[in-house]
Amino acid sequence: MWPAVKQMKEESYNMGVLAQTNKLVNMHLLTVEQAAMSLNLTVEEYLAEVEKVSDYLKNR
């Protein structure tokens, strides 16, 4: 395969991976926001509580 074609295929693949990663990150952020709202917390308060639970579980 020609080097230029190979590079174009790799770049195309990388763009697809980045797009998928961006989609997953956006879905995660939406989920965090929805979870915080369901508990009547701000996102910052919710993440602080998640961190507390995570620390507790690590130290068990």
Side-chain angles (χ1 to χ4, degrees):
M1 185 179 308
W2 293 334
V5 173
K6 183 178 178 184
Q7 182 179 352
M8 285 175 52
K9 283 187 174 187
E10 289 174 357
E11 288 174 2
S12 177
Y13 173 79
N14 289 341
M15 291 300 290
V17 170
L18 286 174
Q20 186 64 24
T21 301
N22 188 41
K23 182 178 178 182
L24 292 173
V25 167
N26 286 338
M27 288 171 56
H28 174 71
L29 291 174
L30 180 60
T31 303
V32 167
E33 191 173 68
Q34 289 172 336
M37 287 174 52
S38 72
L39 297 170
N40 292 322
L41 298 171
T42 66
V43 170
E44 291 80 13
E45 292 168 334
Y46 175 80
L47 292 175
E49 293 301 319
V50 168
E51 189 172 349
K52 287 179 193 174
V53 171
S54 177
D55 290 344
Y56 170 77
L57 292 174
K58 285 179 194 173
N59 295 322
R60 269 180 74 186

